[in-house]
PDB file of all heavy atoms in Angstrom:
ATOM      1  N   LEU C   1      37.786  -7.025 -90.807  1.00 73.00           N
ATOM      2  CA  LEU C   1      36.381  -6.683 -90.706  1.00 73.00           C
ATOM      3  C   LEU C   1      35.867  -6.062 -91.979  1.00 73.00           C
ATOM      4  O   LEU C   1      34.719  -6.279 -92.407  1.00 73.00           O
ATOM      5  CB  LEU C   1      36.202  -5.710 -89.532  1.00 73.00           C
ATOM      6  CG  LEU C   1      36.011  -6.347 -88.142  1.00 73.00           C
ATOM      7  CD1 LEU C   1      36.007  -5.274 -87.046  1.00 73.00           C
ATOM      8  CD2 LEU C   1      34.726  -7.145 -88.071  1.00 73.00           C
ATOM      9  N   ARG C   2      36.736  -5.234 -92.578  1.00 76.00           N
ATOM     10  CA  ARG C   2      36.253  -4.528 -93.803  1.00 76.00           C
ATOM     11  C   ARG C   2      35.976  -5.551 -94.937  1.00 76.00           C
ATOM     12  O   ARG C   2      35.079  -5.328 -95.759  1.00 76.00           O
ATOM     13  CB  ARG C   2      37.339  -3.551 -94.275  1.00 76.00           C
ATOM     14  CG  ARG C   2      36.962  -2.718 -95.450  1.00 76.00           C
ATOM     15  CD  ARG C   2      38.057  -1.776 -95.862  1.00 76.00           C
ATOM     16  NE  ARG C   2      37.658  -1.011 -97.079  1.00 76.00           N
ATOM     17  CZ  ARG C   2      38.468  -0.179 -97.699  1.00 76.00           C
ATOM     18  NH1 ARG C   2      39.705  -0.029 -97.278  1.00 76.00           N
ATOM     19  NH2 ARG C   2      38.028   0.466 -98.774  1.00 76.00           N
ATOM     20  N   SER C   3      36.706  -6.648 -94.951  1.00 72.00           N
ATOM     21  CA  SER C   3      36.507  -7.673 -95.973  1.00 72.00           C
ATOM     22  C   SER C   3      35.121  -8.314 -95.860  1.00 72.00           C
ATOM     23  O   SER C   3      34.599  -8.893 -96.825  1.00 72.00           O
ATOM     24  CB  SER C   3      37.568  -8.790 -95.842  1.00 72.00           C
ATOM     25  OG  SER C   3      38.863  -8.222 -95.935  1.00 72.00           O
ATOM     26  N   PHE C   4      34.528  -8.240 -94.655  1.00 73.00           N
ATOM     27  CA  PHE C   4      33.188  -8.826 -94.455  1.00 73.00           C
ATOM     28  C   PHE C   4      32.124  -7.734 -94.280  1.00 73.00           C
ATOM     29  O   PHE C   4      31.101  -7.959 -93.675  1.00 73.00           O
ATOM     30  CB  PHE C   4      33.217  -9.700 -93.210  1.00 73.00           C
ATOM     31  CG  PHE C   4      34.210 -10.812 -93.300  1.00 73.00           C
ATOM     32  CD1 PHE C   4      35.407 -10.758 -92.643  1.00 73.00           C
ATOM     33  CD2 PHE C   4      33.926 -11.981 -94.063  1.00 73.00           C
ATOM     34  CE1 PHE C   4      36.337 -11.828 -92.756  1.00 73.00           C
ATOM     35  CE2 PHE C   4      34.812 -13.005 -94.183  1.00 73.00           C
ATOM     36  CZ  PHE C   4      36.017 -12.943 -93.509  1.00 73.00           C
ATOM     37  N   GLU C   5      32.391  -6.546 -94.850  1.00 73.00           N
ATOM     38  CA  GLU C   5      31.476  -5.452 -94.681  1.00 73.00           C
ATOM     39  C   GLU C   5      30.090  -5.709 -95.216  1.00 73.00           C
ATOM     40  O   GLU C   5      29.068  -5.402 -94.606  1.00 73.00           O
ATOM     41  CB  GLU C   5      32.067  -4.204 -95.358  1.00 73.00           C
ATOM     42  CG  GLU C   5      31.325  -2.923 -95.055  1.00 73.00           C
ATOM     43  CD  GLU C   5      32.027  -1.688 -95.644  1.00 73.00           C
ATOM     44  OE1 GLU C   5      33.140  -1.876 -96.230  1.00 73.00           O
ATOM     45  OE2 GLU C   5      31.481  -0.621 -95.495  1.00 73.00           O
ATOM     46  N   ASP C   6      30.003  -6.359 -96.372  1.00 72.00           N
ATOM     47  CA  ASP C   6      28.710  -6.643 -97.002  1.00 72.00           C
ATOM     48  C   ASP C   6      27.893  -7.597 -96.105  1.00 72.00           C
ATOM     49  O   ASP C   6      26.662  -7.377 -95.901  1.00 72.00           O
ATOM     50  CB  ASP C   6      28.910  -7.309 -98.391  1.00 72.00           C
ATOM     51  CG  ASP C   6      29.493  -6.298 -99.359  1.00 72.00           C
ATOM     52  OD1 ASP C   6      29.381  -5.083 -99.101  1.00 72.00           O
ATOM     53  OD2 ASP C   6      30.072  -6.755-100.374  1.00 72.00           O
ATOM     54  N   ALA C   7      28.538  -8.590 -95.579  1.00 68.00           N
ATOM     55  CA  ALA C   7      27.824  -9.594 -94.706  1.00 68.00           C
ATOM     56  C   ALA C   7      27.316  -8.889 -93.430  1.00 68.00           C
ATOM     57  O   ALA C   7      26.177  -9.134 -92.977  1.00 68.00           O
ATOM     58  CB  ALA C   7      28.750 -10.737 -94.324  1.00 68.00           C
ATOM     59  N   LEU C   8      28.079  -7.953 -92.890  1.00 70.00           N
ATOM     60  CA  LEU C   8      27.682  -7.223 -91.666  1.00 70.00           C
ATOM     61  C   LEU C   8      26.507  -6.343 -91.945  1.00 70.00           C
ATOM     62  O   LEU C   8      25.640  -6.114 -91.056  1.00 70.00           O
ATOM     63  CB  LEU C   8      28.867  -6.463 -91.112  1.00 70.00           C
ATOM     64  CG  LEU C   8      29.980  -7.284 -90.493  1.00 70.00           C
ATOM     65  CD1 LEU C   8      31.213  -6.412 -90.142  1.00 70.00           C
ATOM     66  CD2 LEU C   8      29.506  -8.059 -89.269  1.00 70.00           C
ATOM     67  N   GLN C   9      26.441  -5.762 -93.178  1.00 71.00           N
ATOM     68  CA  GLN C   9      25.287  -4.896 -93.497  1.00 71.00           C
ATOM     69  C   GLN C   9      24.023  -5.710 -93.651  1.00 71.00           C
ATOM     70  O   GLN C   9      22.939  -5.244 -93.289  1.00 71.00           O
ATOM     71  CB  GLN C   9      25.609  -4.130 -94.795  1.00 71.00           C
ATOM     72  CG  GLN C   9      26.640  -3.033 -94.633  1.00 71.00           C
ATOM     73  CD  GLN C   9      26.996  -2.348 -95.926  1.00 71.00           C
ATOM     74  OE1 GLN C   9      26.574  -2.765 -96.984  1.00 71.00           O
ATOM     75  NE2 GLN C   9      27.745  -1.266 -95.816  1.00 71.00           N
ATOM     76  N   GLN C  10      24.137  -6.940 -94.170  1.00 71.00           N
ATOM     77  CA  GLN C  10      23.012  -7.768 -94.396  1.00 71.00           C
ATOM     78  C   GLN C  10      22.480  -8.324 -93.052  1.00 71.00           C
ATOM     79  O   GLN C  10      21.268  -8.491 -92.856  1.00 71.00           O
ATOM     80  CB  GLN C  10      23.345  -8.934 -95.326  1.00 71.00           C
ATOM     81  CG  GLN C  10      23.655  -8.476 -96.752  1.00 71.00           C
ATOM     82  CD  GLN C  10      24.087  -9.652 -97.627  1.00 71.00           C
ATOM     83  OE1 GLN C  10      23.847 -10.844 -97.308  1.00 71.00           O
ATOM     84  NE2 GLN C  10      24.754  -9.336 -98.726  1.00 71.00           N
ATOM     85  N   VAL C  11      23.414  -8.672 -92.123  1.00 72.00           N
ATOM     86  CA  VAL C  11      23.015  -9.217 -90.856  1.00 72.00           C
ATOM     87  C   VAL C  11      23.624  -8.315 -89.752  1.00 72.00           C
ATOM     88  O   VAL C  11      24.677  -8.604 -89.233  1.00 72.00           O
ATOM     89  CB  VAL C  11      23.469 -10.670 -90.690  1.00 72.00           C
ATOM     90  CG1 VAL C  11      22.850 -11.295 -89.421  1.00 72.00           C
ATOM     91  CG2 VAL C  11      23.113 -11.524 -91.912  1.00 72.00           C
ATOM     92  N   SER C  12      22.964  -7.225 -89.489  1.00 73.00           N
ATOM     93  CA  SER C  12      23.577  -6.171 -88.610  1.00 73.00           C
ATOM     94  C   SER C  12      23.820  -6.631 -87.224  1.00 73.00           C
ATOM     95  O   SER C  12      24.713  -6.139 -86.532  1.00 73.00           O
ATOM     96  CB  SER C  12      22.712  -4.923 -88.653  1.00 73.00           C
ATOM     97  OG  SER C  12      21.405  -5.265 -88.187  1.00 73.00           O
ATOM     98  N   TRP C  13      23.045  -7.609 -86.717  1.00 78.00           N
ATOM     99  CA  TRP C  13      23.162  -8.001 -85.318  1.00 78.00           C
ATOM    100  C   TRP C  13      24.505  -8.700 -85.032  1.00 78.00           C
ATOM    101  O   TRP C  13      24.934  -8.851 -83.891  1.00 78.00           O
ATOM    102  CB  TRP C  13      22.011  -8.909 -84.858  1.00 78.00           C
ATOM    103  CG  TRP C  13      21.879 -10.222 -85.630  1.00 78.00           C
ATOM    104  CD1 TRP C  13      21.075 -10.434 -86.707  1.00 78.00           C
ATOM    105  CD2 TRP C  13      22.548 -11.425 -85.324  1.00 78.00           C
ATOM    106  NE1 TRP C  13      21.199 -11.732 -87.140  1.00 78.00           N
ATOM    107  CE2 TRP C  13      22.105 -12.363 -86.300  1.00 78.00           C
ATOM    108  CE3 TRP C  13      23.449 -11.849 -84.405  1.00 78.00           C
ATOM    109  CZ2 TRP C  13      22.513 -13.687 -86.365  1.00 78.00           C
ATOM    110  CZ3 TRP C  13      23.893 -13.159 -84.432  1.00 78.00           C
ATOM    111  CH2 TRP C  13      23.453 -14.077 -85.425  1.00 78.00           C
ATOM    112  N   LEU C  14      25.207  -9.210 -86.119  1.00 79.00           N
ATOM    113  CA  LEU C  14      26.498  -9.848 -85.903  1.00 79.00           C
ATOM    114  C   LEU C  14      27.538  -8.865 -85.248  1.00 79.00           C
ATOM    115  O   LEU C  14      28.400  -9.287 -84.511  1.00 79.00           O
ATOM    116  CB  LEU C  14      27.051 -10.314 -87.234  1.00 79.00           C
ATOM    117  CG  LEU C  14      26.329 -11.523 -87.899  1.00 79.00           C
ATOM    118  CD1 LEU C  14      26.912 -11.785 -89.265  1.00 79.00           C
ATOM    119  CD2 LEU C  14      26.438 -12.765 -86.988  1.00 79.00           C
ATOM    120  N   VAL C  15      27.376  -7.572 -85.555  1.00 82.00           N
ATOM    121  CA  VAL C  15      28.328  -6.577 -85.020  1.00 82.00           C
ATOM    122  C   VAL C  15      28.277  -6.558 -83.505  1.00 82.00           C
ATOM    123  O   VAL C  15      29.288  -6.339 -82.833  1.00 82.00           O
ATOM    124  CB  VAL C  15      28.013  -5.188 -85.597  1.00 82.00           C
ATOM    125  CG1 VAL C  15      28.922  -4.152 -84.994  1.00 82.00           C
ATOM    126  CG2 VAL C  15      28.104  -5.185 -87.117  1.00 82.00           C
ATOM    127  N   LEU C  16      27.134  -6.808 -82.934  1.00 82.00           N
ATOM    128  CA  LEU C  16      26.952  -6.729 -81.480  1.00 82.00           C
ATOM    129  C   LEU C  16      27.873  -7.729 -80.725  1.00 82.00           C
ATOM    130  O   LEU C  16      28.255  -7.447 -79.593  1.00 82.00           O
ATOM    131  CB  LEU C  16      25.487  -6.997 -81.084  1.00 82.00           C
ATOM    132  CG  LEU C  16      24.453  -6.051 -81.668  1.00 82.00           C
ATOM    133  CD1 LEU C  16      23.031  -6.544 -81.300  1.00 82.00           C
ATOM    134  CD2 LEU C  16      24.675  -4.620 -81.133  1.00 82.00           C
ATOM    135  N   PHE C  17      28.208  -8.835 -81.389  1.00 84.00           N
ATOM    136  CA  PHE C  17      28.913  -9.900 -80.676  1.00 84.00           C
ATOM    137  C   PHE C  17      30.408  -9.984 -81.012  1.00 84.00           C
ATOM    138  O   PHE C  17      31.109 -10.863 -80.547  1.00 84.00           O
ATOM    139  CB  PHE C  17      28.253 -11.261 -81.010  1.00 84.00           C
ATOM    140  CG  PHE C  17      26.850 -11.351 -80.513  1.00 84.00           C
ATOM    141  CD1 PHE C  17      25.787 -11.041 -81.290  1.00 84.00           C
ATOM    142  CD2 PHE C  17      26.626 -11.728 -79.195  1.00 84.00           C
ATOM    143  CE1 PHE C  17      24.482 -11.152 -80.827  1.00 84.00           C
ATOM    144  CE2 PHE C  17      25.332 -11.830 -78.708  1.00 84.00           C
ATOM    145  CZ  PHE C  17      24.247 -11.516 -79.517  1.00 84.00           C
ATOM    146  N   ILE C  18      30.864  -9.014 -81.840  1.00 85.00           N
ATOM    147  CA  ILE C  18      32.292  -9.000 -82.174  1.00 85.00           C
ATOM    148  C   ILE C  18      33.172  -8.854 -80.952  1.00 85.00           C
ATOM    149  O   ILE C  18      34.153  -9.642 -80.761  1.00 85.00           O
ATOM    150  CB  ILE C  18      32.616  -7.925 -83.220  1.00 85.00           C
ATOM    151  CG1 ILE C  18      32.012  -8.282 -84.590  1.00 85.00           C
ATOM    152  CG2 ILE C  18      34.121  -7.695 -83.390  1.00 85.00           C
ATOM    153  CD1 ILE C  18      32.176  -7.239 -85.662  1.00 85.00           C
ATOM    154  N   PRO C  19      32.914  -7.877 -80.060  1.00 85.00           N
ATOM    155  CA  PRO C  19      33.801  -7.756 -78.850  1.00 85.00           C
ATOM    156  C   PRO C  19      33.746  -9.041 -78.018  1.00 85.00           C
ATOM    157  O   PRO C  19      34.782  -9.451 -77.427  1.00 85.00           O
ATOM    158  CB  PRO C  19      33.172  -6.574 -78.053  1.00 85.00           C
ATOM    159  CG  PRO C  19      32.453  -5.826 -79.111  1.00 85.00           C
ATOM    160  CD  PRO C  19      31.913  -6.839 -80.075  1.00 85.00           C
ATOM    161  N   LEU C  20      32.588  -9.658 -77.896  1.00 87.00           N
ATOM    162  CA  LEU C  20      32.434 -10.904 -77.098  1.00 87.00           C
ATOM    163  C   LEU C  20      33.267 -12.017 -77.673  1.00 87.00           C
ATOM    164  O   LEU C  20      34.013 -12.726 -76.943  1.00 87.00           O
ATOM    165  CB  LEU C  20      30.962 -11.330 -77.077  1.00 87.00           C
ATOM    166  CG  LEU C  20      30.620 -12.608 -76.294  1.00 87.00           C
ATOM    167  CD1 LEU C  20      30.914 -12.452 -74.827  1.00 87.00           C
ATOM    168  CD2 LEU C  20      29.166 -12.995 -76.540  1.00 87.00           C
ATOM    169  N   VAL C  21      33.257 -12.162 -78.991  1.00 87.00           N
ATOM    170  CA  VAL C  21      33.981 -13.265 -79.672  1.00 87.00           C
ATOM    171  C   VAL C  21      35.475 -13.092 -79.558  1.00 87.00           C
ATOM    172  O   VAL C  21      36.222 -13.991 -79.107  1.00 87.00           O
ATOM    173  CB  VAL C  21      33.540 -13.408 -81.108  1.00 87.00           C
ATOM    174  CG1 VAL C  21      34.485 -14.347 -81.868  1.00 87.00           C
ATOM    175  CG2 VAL C  21      32.100 -13.852 -81.243  1.00 87.00           C
ATOM    176  N   ILE C  22      35.980 -11.909 -79.921  1.00 85.00           N
ATOM    177  CA  ILE C  22      37.413 -11.722 -79.943  1.00 85.00           C
ATOM    178  C   ILE C  22      38.003 -11.660 -78.546  1.00 85.00           C
ATOM    179  O   ILE C  22      39.146 -12.085 -78.317  1.00 85.00           O
ATOM    180  CB  ILE C  22      37.840 -10.481 -80.771  1.00 85.00           C
ATOM    181  CG1 ILE C  22      37.284  -9.191 -80.168  1.00 85.00           C
ATOM    182  CG2 ILE C  22      37.371 -10.621 -82.216  1.00 85.00           C
ATOM    183  CD1 ILE C  22      37.731  -7.953 -80.928  1.00 85.00           C
ATOM    184  N   SER C  23      37.269 -11.114 -77.570  1.00 86.00           N
ATOM    185  CA  SER C  23      37.809 -11.070 -76.204  1.00 86.00           C
ATOM    186  C   SER C  23      37.880 -12.472 -75.606  1.00 86.00           C
ATOM    187  O   SER C  23      38.831 -12.757 -74.855  1.00 86.00           O
ATOM    188  CB  SER C  23      36.920 -10.170 -75.305  1.00 86.00           C
ATOM    189  OG  SER C  23      35.613 -10.707 -75.115  1.00 86.00           O
ATOM    190  N   SER C  24      36.919 -13.349 -75.928  1.00 89.00           N
ATOM    191  CA  SER C  24      36.978 -14.725 -75.435  1.00 89.00           C
ATOM    192  C   SER C  24      38.208 -15.444 -75.949  1.00 89.00           C
ATOM    193  O   SER C  24      38.919 -16.144 -75.203  1.00 89.00           O
ATOM    194  CB  SER C  24      35.719 -15.496 -75.878  1.00 89.00           C
ATOM    195  OG  SER C  24      34.562 -14.924 -75.345  1.00 89.00           O
ATOM    196  N   GLY C  25      38.513 -15.273 -77.227  1.00 88.00           N
ATOM    197  CA  GLY C  25      39.713 -15.897 -77.779  1.00 88.00           C
ATOM    198  C   GLY C  25      40.987 -15.279 -77.267  1.00 88.00           C
ATOM    199  O   GLY C  25      41.952 -15.998 -76.917  1.00 88.00           O
ATOM    200  N   GLY C  26      41.062 -13.913 -77.196  1.00 86.00           N
ATOM    201  CA  GLY C  26      42.259 -13.260 -76.721  1.00 86.00           C
ATOM    202  C   GLY C  26      42.557 -13.579 -75.288  1.00 86.00           C
ATOM    203  O   GLY C  26      43.725 -13.826 -74.944  1.00 86.00           O
ATOM    204  N   ASN C  27      41.520 -13.578 -74.450  1.00 87.00           N
ATOM    205  CA  ASN C  27      41.754 -13.873 -73.009  1.00 87.00           C
ATOM    206  C   ASN C  27      42.178 -15.296 -72.763  1.00 87.00           C
ATOM    207  O   ASN C  27      43.095 -15.566 -71.935  1.00 87.00           O
ATOM    208  CB  ASN C  27      40.449 -13.585 -72.214  1.00 87.00           C
ATOM    209  CG  ASN C  27      40.107 -12.144 -72.158  1.00 87.00           C
ATOM    210  OD1 ASN C  27      40.999 -11.272 -72.333  1.00 87.00           O
ATOM    211  ND2 ASN C  27      38.839 -11.810 -71.969  1.00 87.00           N
ATOM    212  N   SER C  28      41.556 -16.262 -73.468  1.00 90.00           N
ATOM    213  CA  SER C  28      41.975 -17.667 -73.332  1.00 90.00           C
ATOM    214  C   SER C  28      43.391 -17.892 -73.833  1.00 90.00           C
ATOM    215  O   SER C  28      44.144 -18.623 -73.245  1.00 90.00           O
ATOM    216  CB  SER C  28      40.982 -18.558 -74.049  1.00 90.00           C
ATOM    217  OG  SER C  28      40.970 -18.314 -75.434  1.00 90.00           O
ATOM    218  N   GLY C  29      43.756 -17.208 -74.947  1.00 87.00           N
ATOM    219  CA  GLY C  29      45.116 -17.334 -75.433  1.00 87.00           C
ATOM    220  C   GLY C  29      46.139 -16.762 -74.536  1.00 87.00           C
ATOM    221  O   GLY C  29      47.226 -17.343 -74.321  1.00 87.00           O
ATOM    222  N   SER C  30      45.819 -15.634 -73.887  1.00 85.00           N
ATOM    223  CA  SER C  30      46.734 -15.049 -72.939  1.00 85.00           C
ATOM    224  C   SER C  30      46.916 -15.928 -71.718  1.00 85.00           C
ATOM    225  O   SER C  30      48.040 -16.067 -71.173  1.00 85.00           O
ATOM    226  CB  SER C  30      46.193 -13.648 -72.487  1.00 85.00           C
ATOM    227  OG  SER C  30      46.156 -12.782 -73.574  1.00 85.00           O
ATOM    228  N   GLN C  31      45.827 -16.544 -71.240  1.00 88.00           N
ATOM    229  CA  GLN C  31      45.943 -17.458 -70.119  1.00 88.00           C
ATOM    230  C   GLN C  31      46.867 -18.642 -70.451  1.00 88.00           C
ATOM    231  O   GLN C  31      47.768 -18.992 -69.676  1.00 88.00           O
ATOM    232  CB  GLN C  31      44.553 -18.008 -69.738  1.00 88.00           C
ATOM    233  CG  GLN C  31      43.676 -17.037 -69.026  1.00 88.00           C
ATOM    234  CD  GLN C  31      42.326 -17.654 -68.683  1.00 88.00           C
ATOM    235  OE1 GLN C  31      41.859 -18.549 -69.365  1.00 88.00           O
ATOM    236  NE2 GLN C  31      41.697 -17.131 -67.646  1.00 88.00           N
ATOM    237  N   SER C  32      46.702 -19.219 -71.627  1.00 90.00           N
ATOM    238  CA  SER C  32      47.514 -20.375 -72.019  1.00 90.00           C
ATOM    239  C   SER C  32      49.007 -19.962 -72.170  1.00 90.00           C
ATOM    240  O   SER C  32      49.891 -20.672 -71.715  1.00 90.00           O
ATOM    241  CB  SER C  32      47.024 -20.924 -73.377  1.00 90.00           C
ATOM    242  OG  SER C  32      45.730 -21.467 -73.235  1.00 90.00           O
ATOM    243  N   ALA C  33      49.201 -18.805 -72.773  1.00 86.00           N
ATOM    244  CA  ALA C  33      50.604 -18.309 -72.922  1.00 86.00           C
ATOM    245  C   ALA C  33      51.250 -18.108 -71.591  1.00 86.00           C
ATOM    246  O   ALA C  33      52.426 -18.503 -71.375  1.00 86.00           O
ATOM    247  CB  ALA C  33      50.601 -16.989 -73.720  1.00 86.00           C
ATOM    248  N   THR C  34      50.530 -17.507 -70.635  1.00 84.00           N
ATOM    249  CA  THR C  34      51.123 -17.265 -69.311  1.00 84.00           C
ATOM    250  C   THR C  34      51.443 -18.572 -68.585  1.00 84.00           C
ATOM    251  O   THR C  34      52.508 -18.746 -68.030  1.00 84.00           O
ATOM    252  CB  THR C  34      50.137 -16.461 -68.431  1.00 84.00           C
ATOM    253  OG1 THR C  34      49.891 -15.188 -69.076  1.00 84.00           O
ATOM    254  CG2 THR C  34      50.716 -16.238 -67.053  1.00 84.00           C
ATOM    255  N   LEU C  35      50.494 -19.534 -68.669  1.00 88.00           N
ATOM    256  CA  LEU C  35      50.720 -20.851 -68.018  1.00 88.00           C
ATOM    257  C   LEU C  35      51.913 -21.578 -68.607  1.00 88.00           C
ATOM    258  O   LEU C  35      52.774 -22.100 -67.890  1.00 88.00           O
ATOM    259  CB  LEU C  35      49.453 -21.703 -68.148  1.00 88.00           C
ATOM    260  CG  LEU C  35      48.284 -21.308 -67.268  1.00 88.00           C
ATOM    261  CD1 LEU C  35      47.025 -22.041 -67.688  1.00 88.00           C
ATOM    262  CD2 LEU C  35      48.593 -21.614 -65.798  1.00 88.00           C
ATOM    263  N   VAL C  36      52.008 -21.621 -69.930  1.00 89.00           N
ATOM    264  CA  VAL C  36      53.081 -22.357 -70.592  1.00 89.00           C
ATOM    265  C   VAL C  36      54.402 -21.704 -70.365  1.00 89.00           C
ATOM    266  O   VAL C  36      55.437 -22.343 -70.071  1.00 89.00           O
ATOM    267  CB  VAL C  36      52.768 -22.525 -72.094  1.00 89.00           C
ATOM    268  CG1 VAL C  36      53.980 -23.100 -72.834  1.00 89.00           C
ATOM    269  CG2 VAL C  36      51.564 -23.421 -72.283  1.00 89.00           C
ATOM    270  N   ILE C  37      54.472 -20.384 -70.533  1.00 84.00           N
ATOM    271  CA  ILE C  37      55.727 -19.662 -70.309  1.00 84.00           C
ATOM    272  C   ILE C  37      56.246 -19.814 -68.886  1.00 84.00           C
ATOM    273  O   ILE C  37      57.404 -20.046 -68.633  1.00 84.00           O
ATOM    274  CB  ILE C  37      55.573 -18.144 -70.647  1.00 84.00           C
ATOM    275  CG1 ILE C  37      55.373 -17.965 -72.152  1.00 84.00           C
ATOM    276  CG2 ILE C  37      56.782 -17.352 -70.190  1.00 84.00           C
ATOM    277  CD1 ILE C  37      54.976 -16.551 -72.565  1.00 84.00           C
ATOM    278  N   THR C  38      55.310 -19.730 -67.897  1.00 82.00           N
ATOM    279  CA  THR C  38      55.694 -19.932 -66.510  1.00 82.00           C
ATOM    280  C   THR C  38      56.193 -21.322 -66.253  1.00 82.00           C
ATOM    281  O   THR C  38      57.171 -21.542 -65.571  1.00 82.00           O
ATOM    282  CB  THR C  38      54.498 -19.663 -65.589  1.00 82.00           C
ATOM    283  OG1 THR C  38      54.020 -18.324 -65.814  1.00 82.00           O
ATOM    284  CG2 THR C  38      54.867 -19.811 -64.111  1.00 82.00           C
ATOM    285  N   ALA C  39      55.513 -22.314 -66.837  1.00 85.00           N
ATOM    286  CA  ALA C  39      55.927 -23.728 -66.668  1.00 85.00           C
ATOM    287  C   ALA C  39      57.276 -23.963 -67.330  1.00 85.00           C
ATOM    288  O   ALA C  39      58.115 -24.707 -66.820  1.00 85.00           O
ATOM    289  CB  ALA C  39      54.886 -24.638 -67.295  1.00 85.00           C
ATOM    290  N   MET C  40      57.533 -23.326 -68.486  1.00 84.00           N
ATOM    291  CA  MET C  40      58.854 -23.500 -69.157  1.00 84.00           C
ATOM    292  C   MET C  40      59.953 -22.830 -68.337  1.00 84.00           C
ATOM    293  O   MET C  40      61.079 -23.344 -68.240  1.00 84.00           O
ATOM    294  CB  MET C  40      58.768 -22.888 -70.581  1.00 84.00           C
ATOM    295  CG  MET C  40      57.892 -23.687 -71.522  1.00 84.00           C
ATOM    296  SD  MET C  40      57.678 -22.881 -73.123  1.00 84.00           S
ATOM    297  CE  MET C  40      59.318 -23.181 -73.811  1.00 84.00           C
ATOM    298  N   THR C  41      59.624 -21.669 -67.753  1.00 75.00           N
ATOM    299  CA  THR C  41      60.646 -20.972 -66.981  1.00 75.00           C
ATOM    300  C   THR C  41      61.033 -21.746 -65.738  1.00 75.00           C
ATOM    301  O   THR C  41      62.201 -21.809 -65.347  1.00 75.00           O
ATOM    302  CB  THR C  41      60.110 -19.591 -66.550  1.00 75.00           C
ATOM    303  OG1 THR C  41      59.784 -18.827 -67.704  1.00 75.00           O
ATOM    304  CG2 THR C  41      61.117 -18.840 -65.689  1.00 75.00           C
ATOM    305  N   SER C  42      60.051 -22.404 -65.091  1.00 73.00           N
ATOM    306  CA  SER C  42      60.307 -23.168 -63.893  1.00 73.00           C
ATOM    307  C   SER C  42      60.909 -24.545 -64.193  1.00 73.00           C
ATOM    308  O   SER C  42      61.315 -25.268 -63.282  1.00 73.00           O
ATOM    309  CB  SER C  42      59.026 -23.350 -63.072  1.00 73.00           C
ATOM    310  OG  SER C  42      58.087 -24.158 -63.804  1.00 73.00           O
ATOM    311  N   GLY C  43      60.931 -24.910 -65.484  1.00 75.00           N
ATOM    312  CA  GLY C  43      61.458 -26.251 -65.862  1.00 75.00           C
ATOM    313  C   GLY C  43      60.432 -27.349 -65.816  1.00 75.00           C
ATOM    314  O   GLY C  43      60.778 -28.530 -66.052  1.00 75.00           O
ATOM    315  N   ASP C  44      59.157 -27.001 -65.540  1.00 83.00           N
ATOM    316  CA  ASP C  44      58.137 -28.009 -65.439  1.00 83.00           C
ATOM    317  C   ASP C  44      57.747 -28.566 -66.829  1.00 83.00           C
ATOM    318  O   ASP C  44      57.360 -29.688 -66.977  1.00 83.00           O
ATOM    319  CB  ASP C  44      56.892 -27.392 -64.770  1.00 83.00           C
ATOM    320  CG  ASP C  44      55.781 -28.408 -64.578  1.00 83.00           C
ATOM    321  OD1 ASP C  44      56.070 -29.554 -64.156  1.00 83.00           O
ATOM    322  OD2 ASP C  44      54.616 -28.095 -64.835  1.00 83.00           O
TER     323      ASP C  44
END
């Protein structure tokens, strides 16, 4: 985030959506990991 500090100062509204963006990616990744690990454990 610090690497993009200048851009965030120029367009301040981008900061509002950081939690939305990273939580969408993290949650979807966690779902996929759980599904694949469970399927591998069961032999599917």
Side-chain angles (χ1 to χ4, degrees):
L1 274 172
R2 185 181 178 185
S3 302
F4 300 101
E5 189 174 357
D6 292 340
L8 290 172
Q9 288 178 350
Q10 294 175 18
V11 190
S12 59
W13 62 264
L14 291 174
V15 177
L16 300 175
F17 295 94
I18 289 176
L20 177 66
V21 170
I22 62 176
S23 66
S24 297
N27 292 337
S28 61
S30 297
Q31 286 180 333
S32 295
T34 300
L35 286 168
V36 171
I37 290 171
T38 302
M40 292 175 71
T41 301
S42 66
D44 184 43

